[in-house]
């Protein structure tokens, strides 16, 4: 699978850009809960969690559009805007309550700690709104290991457009050629390719219901804990 050998990865990157939902964090239950509260307000039946999982990745506006369509409702612009606002309300409510269940995937927190400690500049580049992304990182105690957060509302265009990745690199002070994108979907792959940077993908992510093995990435990871040794930038004493 790797297009880069271990030797070619050594010292190649100064910065790492991470997707959030499906890569660092398992958030599907919270998203499904907020989405189904929104659907129920509209008199629509709730969606199974597996269906919601396949809708995640292109931002909340597309999530709302897909969910309504699955329940046979076509939204006009005012209706879409109203439903999106209610989704934001419910999602914020979930994340501030005991109902919140979002957690880092196994190995994600340790990998971030080790990579940041090894001197890598790090960013989260997500289509989730910035306030929700930063709130999750704070609550799950991952914020100290992330230097920059680019949300879906931070730039005029979202992934798969390369603009958010380029913006993250600019804020980190590194060229795109010195950054590695780490994601879970075709969305992340397309954005990275357009930005001119390599991309690593995780095998466990959401990926809109697609098989991760079909992704056109440079390496496929079963856990983020595999990333520090692959980059070969960690001190010998701290390697897995």
């Amino acid at each position: 699978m790797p297009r880069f050998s271990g030797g070619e990865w050594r010292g190649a990157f100064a910065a790492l850009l991470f997707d959030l939902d499906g890569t660092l964090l398992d958030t599907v239950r919270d998203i499904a809960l907020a989405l189904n509260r929104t659907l129920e307000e509209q008199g629509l039946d709730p969606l199974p969690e597996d269906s919601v999982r396949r809708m995640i990745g292109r931002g909340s506006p597309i999530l709302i559009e897909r969910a309504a369509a699955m329940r046979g409702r076509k939204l006009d612009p005012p209706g879409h805007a109203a439903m999106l606002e209610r989704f934001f309300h419910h999602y914020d409510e979930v994340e501030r309550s005991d109902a919140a269940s979002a957690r880092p995937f196994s190995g994600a927190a340790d990998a971030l700690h080790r990579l940041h400690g090894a001197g890598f500049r790090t960013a989260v580049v997500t289509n989730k709104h910035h306030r929700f992304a930063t709130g999750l990182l704070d609550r799950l105690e991952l914020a100290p290991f992330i230097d920059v957060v680019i949300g879906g509302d931070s730039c005029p265009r979202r992934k798969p457009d390369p603009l958010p990745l380029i913006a993250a690199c600019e804020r980190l002070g590194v060229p795109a050629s010195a950054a590695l994108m780490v994601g879970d979907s075709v969305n992340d792959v397309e954005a990275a390719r357009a930005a001119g940077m390599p991309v690593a993908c995780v095998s466990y992510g959401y990926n809109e219901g697609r098989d991760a093995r079909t992704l056109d990435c440079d390496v496929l990871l079963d856990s983020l804990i595999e990333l520090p040794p692959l980059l070969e930038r960690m001190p010998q004493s701290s390697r897995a």
Side-chain angles (χ1 to χ4, degrees):
M1 166 63 73
R3 294 190 177 87
F4 285 75
S5 70
E8 290 171 327
W9 284 61
R10 183 186 298 115
F13 308 113
L16 305 172
L17 315 183
F18 293 92
D19 176 54
L20 192 66
D21 300 291
T23 301
L24 289 176
L25 305 183
D26 188 359
T27 55
V28 65
R29 289 184 181 177
D30 291 356
I31 293 172
L33 180 57
L35 180 62
N36 283 330
R37 288 179 180 178
T38 306
L39 291 173
E40 288 167 3
E41 285 183 344
Q42 300 291 317
L44 302 174
D45 290 338
L47 292 168
E49 188 177 297
D50 283 347
S51 295
V52 176
R53 184 187 303 272
R54 291 192 292 271
M55 297 177 185
I56 296 172
R58 293 188 180 261
S60 300
I62 300 298
L63 175 69
I64 293 299
E65 181 181 305
R66 288 173 169 175
M70 184 166 282
R71 286 295 176 243
R73 181 169 296 182
K74 183 176 176 60
L75 298 173
D76 59 18
H80 182 274
M83 197 167 168
L84 180 62
E85 186 58 35
R86 291 304 295 166
F87 170 74
F88 287 152
H89 166 77
H90 288 302
Y91 188 70
D92 185 55
E93 195 173 61
V94 168
E95 291 303 329
R96 292 174 182 272
S97 74
D98 291 339
S101 63
R103 294 291 183 272
F105 284 105
S106 177
D110 187 49
L112 284 178
H113 181 272
R114 293 171 61 187
L115 291 165
H116 196 262
F120 287 99
R121 299 282 285 162
T122 57
V124 161
V125 184
T126 174
N127 282 343
K128 185 187 290 294
H129 267 38
H130 185 272
R131 66 187 174 102
F132 294 131
T134 56
L136 279 166
L137 292 169
D138 286 338
R139 180 167 68 78
L140 298 175
E141 301 181 345
L142 298 179
F145 313 122
I146 301 295
D147 299 306
V148 167
V149 177
I150 301 293
D153 54 343
S154 300
C155 298
R157 298 183 298 278
R158 300 181 179 91
K159 296 180 298 181
D161 192 280
L163 181 60
L165 280 66
I166 294 169
C169 289
E170 289 176 349
R171 289 186 56 186
L172 290 171
V174 301
S177 59
L180 172 70
M181 180 67 204
V182 185
D184 73 312
S185 71
V186 65
N187 213 32
D188 299 310
V189 172
E190 290 178 359
R193 295 296 182 221
M197 65 179 66
V199 56
C201 290
V202 296
S203 62
Y204 53 77
Y206 301 154
N207 193 27
E208 300 178 281
R210 307 179 192 183
D211 187 339
R213 291 171 297 181
T214 67
L215 291 169
D216 182 29
C217 56
D218 294 297
V219 67
L220 191 65
L221 306 169
D222 291 326
S223 168
L224 287 179
I225 203 61
E226 299 172 4
L227 189 57
L230 181 63
L231 294 173
E232 297 187 2
R233 288 280 298 271
M234 304 299 295
Q236 183 68 34
S237 61
S238 65
R239 288 188 183 180

